[in-house]
Amino acid sequence: MHFDLPDLRLFIHIAESPSLTQGARRASLSPAAASARIKALEGQLDTRLLYRDSRGVELTPSGQRLLQHARLIMRQVDYLKSEFTEYGSDSAGHIRIFANTTAVTEFLPEILAGFLAERPGVTVDLQERLSRDIVRGVLDGGADLGIIAGPVEAAGLQVLHFSTDRLVLVVPDNHPLACRDQVSLRDTLQYQHIGLHDGSTLLTFLREHVETLGGTLSLRIQMSGFEAICRMVEANVGIGIIPESAASRHSRTMKLHIIELNEPWAVRERSMLVRDLEALPGSVRALIATLLPESAAV
């Protein structure tokens, strides 16, 4: 069975688009030509890959399986190209990263700024995803690297621990909880919270634990990042649960009181997920080495 790489890339474009027309446009093809290629691919595999209707396209179960394999094949092709670039093994290439909220908003921007400044031939696609989607993305080849916090269930992936953080409660100096050294999650539920946007990994994580308690997380306002949450807390709008690293940094310039969150899940191990470290292109391995502690760098 012979597969053309352009056909596999076209299939990926269509699968990631709301319609065949938009997928064809991404592949610089007419809709008719794209449709003909997909039909030929279905004929070769003797199975239907897409459901087509007026709303767009939807993958069949066979299409889902092909998408997983097609992504892996195209990522390996991209790796091969990057390994033979004129810039050298770690100075060019494209890196796709799926990461949680803290990584995307807090520490990765600074790390990537220095990393990319030294490597003008490297480009990065950084996307915020939920933990389960990060694991799935690395497994199916949609991402080169996943960054996750907390316990990891990632059979088939290599897990590289690189730092530890913990969740804490931040309150204004005059808040009733400000006199406490420790609080439980249940203790905070009688107060209005300042939270991150819907879809953020941290808010999803907290809501799951609140549901376990049988309580309700009362959100007064949702913000786009930890600095904005801290500013709202300082202004007496509510309280917030955020990583200690962010709370400590912002408390240097804002009037905030940091309280330990007495929960077993408050300590958060940060890890990187990869399929096969040795098979990654030089640019991805160089970024991993930048993130790892010096004693564990690859």
Side-chain angles (χ1 to χ4, degrees), residues 7 10 20 24 28-39:
D7 288 347
L10 169 64
L20 186 143
S28 301
L29 292 172
S30 68
S35 180
R37 287 196 178 190
I38 294 300
K39 287 181 180 178

Side-chain angles (χ1 to χ4, degrees), residues 1 32 40 81 88 148 151 187-188 195 203 221 224 241 244 262 275 281:
M1 188 176 294
K81 290 178 180 177
I148 200 168
D187 294 333
T188 74
L203 181 60
I221 188 171
S224 61
I241 294 176
E244 186 176 30
N262 186 20
R275 284 179 59 88

Side-chain angles (χ1 to χ4, degrees), residues 244-289:
E244 186 176 30
S245 55
S248 298
R249 184 172 67 258
H250 295 307
S251 68
R252 292 195 287 267
T253 57
M254 302 181 202
K255 294 180 180 179
L256 302 172
H257 193 77
I258 301 174
I259 305 170
E260 182 179 339
L261 195 59
N262 186 20
E263 298 287 354
W265 43 259
V267 176
R268 307 271 280 166
E269 302 291 337
R270 292 175 179 161
S271 304
M272 289 179 283
L273 308 179
V274 297
R275 284 179 59 88
D276 183 353
L277 183 60
E278 295 303 318
L280 291 171
S283 58
V284 183
R285 294 198 305 271
L287 177 58
I288 290 172

Side-chain angles (χ1 to χ4, degrees), residues 168-171 175 177 183-196 203 206 210 216-223 229 232-233 237-242 261:
V168 297
L169 180 72
V170 288
V171 302
H175 194 273
L177 292 177
V183 294
S184 66
L185 177 61
R186 189 182 296 276
D187 294 333
T188 74
L189 298 183
Q190 61 183 301
Y191 303 102
Q192 290 186 310
H193 281 240
I194 314 299
L196 288 173
L203 181 60
L206 291 174
V210 170
T216 301
L217 186 66
S218 176
L219 289 174
R220 189 172 186 191
I221 188 171
Q222 292 173 256
M223 309 303 295
I229 289 177
M232 286 291 175
V233 171
V237 175
I239 63 177
I241 294 176
I242 64 174
L261 195 59

Side-chain angles (χ1 to χ4, degrees), residues 104-275:
V104 171
T105 61
E106 288 295 306
F107 63 87
L108 268 184
E110 182 177 354
I111 290 172
L112 288 174
F115 179 82
L116 293 174
E118 296 175 355
R119 296 168 176 82
V122 174
T123 59
V124 171
D125 176 9
L126 174 61
Q127 299 184 24
E128 181 181 341
R129 296 292 182 94
L130 296 176
S131 296
R132 61 178 178 271
D133 296 326
I134 294 172
V135 173
R136 188 182 304 118
V138 178
L139 273 172
D140 68 16
D144 304 301
L145 174 65
I147 297 180
I148 200 168
V152 181
E153 294 183 8
L157 297 180
Q158 292 178 260
V159 181
L160 309 171
H161 170 72
F162 68 96
S163 69
T164 302
D165 203 352
R166 66 177 298 124
L167 295 175
V168 297
L169 180 72
V170 288
V171 302
D173 284 341
N174 61 351
H175 194 273
L177 292 177
C179 62
R180 303 272 296 272
D181 293 327
Q182 294 183 344
V183 294
S184 66
L185 177 61
R186 189 182 296 276
D187 294 333
T188 74
L189 298 183
Q190 61 183 301
Y191 303 102
Q192 290 186 310
H193 281 240
I194 314 299
L196 288 173
H197 55 85
D198 286 328
S200 63
T201 51
L202 178 56
L203 181 60
T204 301
F205 176 79
L206 291 174
R207 279 176 165 161
E208 289 172 353
H209 283 286
V210 170
E211 288 176 7
T212 300
L213 294 174
T216 301
L217 186 66
S218 176
L219 289 174
R220 189 172 186 191
I221 188 171
Q222 292 173 256
M223 309 303 295
S224 61
F226 298 126
E227 180 180 1
I229 289 177
C230 289
R231 292 198 181 282
M232 286 291 175
V233 171
E234 183 185 34
N236 264 318
V237 175
I239 63 177
I241 294 176
I242 64 174
E244 186 176 30
S245 55
S248 298
R249 184 172 67 258
H250 295 307
S251 68
R252 292 195 287 267
T253 57
M254 302 181 202
K255 294 180 180 179
L256 302 172
H257 193 77
I258 301 174
I259 305 170
E260 182 179 339
L261 195 59
N262 186 20
E263 298 287 354
W265 43 259
V267 176
R268 307 271 280 166
E269 302 291 337
R270 292 175 179 161
S271 304
M272 289 179 283
L273 308 179
V274 297
R275 284 179 59 88

